[in-house]
Structure formats: structure tokens, C-alpha cells
Amino acid sequence: MSPEPCLCGADDCKRCFPFNRQSCEITDNDRADALDLIVEEILDYGSFPKHGKAEVDLYEFVADNLDNSYAFELVVAALSTNKQALEIRIERLHDMVEAMLKKDIADTDMLEELAQEMADDRGQI
């Protein structure tokens, strides 16, 4: 919810006319934070954004980018009695998919849009 306008009447008032404000410059930190946020949401909820129409779906991403041997490896590990080996395989697969997502999303419009929002929010403080 946005704050009430101050009713000063000035066209350049950021409180009365929030859409007139200039966009802040996007920094590398904004892009890195946006990338981390997007990848974290994909891995936690299976898609980005988690509500609404997904721009990235984890199931489709994994189906398109991993071969089936990873699924068989996890099934075999789950059926074995060595649960520590399963945890290691899951962690390795998680890290690999996270790196693949970061590489795939690094130059997308959705990353730039989120980084711009983060830069603008940072500029309001």
C-alpha cells in the first residue's frame, strides 16, 4: 500500500507523483541479488514467480536440461540403505541445477526487471 500523497502540487514530488521519479541505475550487486532471489524462489517453490504465470518452471527446466540418468541415480540411492549417499547425491544435484539456473537466467529480461525494481527500492530509502 502506497503512502497518501502530500498534496503539495509539485510535479516532481516523489510522494505525490511516484511514477515521475527517475529510475535508479542498476548495479552489479542489484543484478546478483535479483539472480539469487529468482533462483532461490525457483528451487523453493518450483517456479518463478511463485504465484501467477510462471516464467521459469523447475520441472520443465530439469526435463530440458538434465538427462534421465540423474533420476535413476536418485532412485537407486533412495532404495539403498546408505542414506548418507542419497543426501550427498541430492546436494550435488541441487548445486548443479542451481548453477545451471544462474547461467540460464543471467542475461534475461526478467532479471533486469527485478534488478531495476530492487535498484528503485534502494533509491527510495
Side-chain angles (χ1 to χ4, degrees):
M1 187 168 152
S2 61
E4 292 294 319
C6 68
L7 303 175
C8 69
D11 289 342
D12 60 345
C13 177
K14 291 180 182 175
R15 192 166 170 203
C16 290
F17 298 96
F19 299 109
N20 286 349
R21 71 172 188 258
Q22 296 292 323
S23 294
C24 294
E25 185 176 335
I26 302 173
T27 65
D28 290 338
N29 287 341
D30 293 325
R31 283 187 184 89
D33 291 344
L35 182 61
D36 290 341
L37 190 121
I38 290 171
V39 170
E40 183 179 320
E41 190 166 310
I42 292 168
L43 292 173
D44 287 347
Y45 300 104
S47 65
F48 178 83
K50 66 180 175 182
H51 300 296
K53 186 176 185 295
E55 293 185 46
V56 178
D57 182 82
L58 183 59
Y59 182 87
E60 290 177 11
F61 183 83
V62 168
D64 292 342
N65 294 290
L66 290 179
D67 59 41
N68 294 338
S69 66
Y70 288 100
F72 293 123
E73 181 181 335
L74 289 175
V75 168
V76 169
L79 295 173
S80 74
T81 57
N82 186 357
K83 298 305 175 194
Q84 186 177 15
L86 177 61
E87 290 174 12
I88 293 169
R89 284 185 172 95
I90 290 172
E91 188 174 315
R92 184 178 45 188
L93 183 60
H94 181 275
D95 293 344
M96 184 177 67
V97 170
E98 181 178 27
M100 291 168 64
L101 281 167
K102 285 185 176 185
K103 182 180 177 193
D104 195 60
I105 295 170
D107 294 323
T108 61
D109 290 338
M110 73 176 160
L111 176 67
E112 289 298 313
E113 290 170 8
L114 184 59
Q116 184 65 61
E117 286 178 28
M118 294 173 89
D120 291 344
D121 289 345
R122 177 182 40 81
Q124 283 183 345
I125 297 173

